[in-house]
Amino acid sequence: MMLVIFLSGVFSLGLAAPWAFCYRERWVARHTYIEGRQLHFVGKSFDLWLFLLKWTLFSVLTLGLYSFVVPIRFQQWRIKNTYVYGYWDEYYATE
C-alpha cells in the first residue's frame, strides 16, 4: 500500500497526494476498531485537493503566516471525515 502511495505521488508530481492520503486513511479506518466498532473514513480526495489549494492561496496571501494553521486545519478535516460505525444510531435512539 505504501509503495502505491509513494509511486502515485512521484509520478503525478504531487497532484495525487490527496487521493493517496484518502486511500491510506480508508485503509487505516478499515483496520481500526474502537470498543468493538469499526472506524469509517468518508473524506473525498477532490474536497481535500480544494482545501489544499485554498490553504496554499491563503499562505501566499499572508506571506506564509497561514502555513502555521494548515496542519491544524488538515487534522480537523481528517477527524471531521472519520466516523465510528453505530455510534450515531445509539445516540439518536436515546433522545
Side-chain angles (χ1 to χ4, degrees):
M1 178 187 66
M2 294 304 284
L3 181 64
V4 170
I5 290 171
F6 173 75
L7 291 176
S8 69
V10 169
F11 289 122
S12 70
L13 302 175
L15 292 175
W19 170 84
F21 177 78
C22 290
Y23 180 76
R24 185 179 65 87
E25 284 299 312
R26 280 189 200 92
W27 185 87
V28 168
R30 276 196 313 266
H31 294 87
T32 303
Y33 290 85
I34 297 177
E35 294 183 5
R37 297 172 193 261
Q38 186 178 16
L39 288 182
H40 182 60
F41 183 75
V42 295
K44 305 287 185 226
S45 58
F46 184 72
D47 294 339
L48 179 59
W49 196 83
L50 289 177
F51 276 118
L52 289 173
L53 187 66
K54 180 178 78 171
W55 296 334
T56 303
L57 178 66
F58 287 164
S59 293
V60 169
L61 291 176
T62 61
L63 302 175
L65 291 176
Y66 194 78
S67 64
F68 294 108
V69 179
V70 170
I72 298 167
R73 298 284 187 229
F74 192 75
Q75 288 298 330
Q76 286 175 341
W77 181 85
R78 183 180 65 85
I79 292 169
K80 182 178 166 184
N81 288 293
T82 304
Y83 297 97
V84 178
Y85 274 130
Y87 175 74
W88 293 109
D89 299 337
E90 290 180 7
Y91 176 76
Y92 288 118
T94 60
E95 288 186 347

